C-alpha cells in the first residue's frame, strides 16, 4: 500500500519515451466509490523555475502501470501527452 503523501516524492516516468513528467500535486477521487480516478501533475515551470507554463496534467488512473520505490510508471502515448483539463 502507498500513502498519498508519498506520491509527491516519487518521479512520474512515462514508459513510452522515458520522460519525467513532474511531481504529483493532487489526486482526483470519485466521491461515490472513494477510488482514485486520476493523478494531477504540476505544470512545468519556466522563467528561472518561478512561473508555471501551462495547465496541470491529469493522468487517468488506467494509465498508471506500476509503483516502484522511487518512481511511478505511466503509459502515455505521444498524443496523450497533451494537457488535460483539470
Amino acid at each position: 500500500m502507498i500513502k498519498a503523501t508519498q506520491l509527491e516524492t516519487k518521479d512520474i516516468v512515462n514508459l513510452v519515451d522515458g520522460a519525467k513528467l513532474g511531481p504529483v500535486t493532487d489526486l482526483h477521487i470519485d466521491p461515490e466509490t472513494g477510488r482514485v480516478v486520476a493523478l494531477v501533475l504540476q505544470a512545468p515551470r519556466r522563467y528561472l523555475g518561478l512561473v508555471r507554463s501551462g495547465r496541470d496534467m491529469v493522468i487517468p488512473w488506467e494509465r498508471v502501470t506500476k509503483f516502484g520505490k522511487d518512481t511511478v510508471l505511466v503509459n502515455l502515448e505521444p498524443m496523450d501527452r497533451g494537457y488535460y483539463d483539470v
Side-chain angles (χ1 to χ4, degrees):
M1 186 180 303
I2 187 169
K3 296 179 182 179
T5 55
Q6 293 173 318
L7 286 174
E8 62 189 20
T9 63
K10 295 186 183 293
D11 290 326
I12 309 303
V13 177
N14 187 6
L15 284 170
V16 175
D17 59 5
K20 286 186 182 180
L21 301 178
V24 174
T25 58
D26 205 356
L27 299 174
H28 285 183
I29 298 175
D30 183 340
E32 293 181 15
T33 64
R35 293 184 180 265
V36 176
V37 178
L39 300 177
V40 181
L41 307 184
Q42 187 175 37
R45 295 189 180 267
R46 293 168 72 182
Y47 309 113
L48 303 174
L50 300 175
V51 180
R52 286 197 207 178
S53 65
R55 293 192 264 164
D56 292 340
M57 180 185 287
V58 178
I59 299 178
W61 189 252
E62 309 78 59
R63 299 293 189 156
V64 177
T65 306
K66 185 132 182 128
F67 288 92
K69 180 181 174 190
D70 299 317
T71 60
V72 176
L73 300 178
V74 297
N75 189 355
L76 296 176
E77 294 299 323
M79 67 180 153
D80 292 340
R81 290 274 314 277
Y83 292 99
Y84 296 86
D85 288 329
V86 191

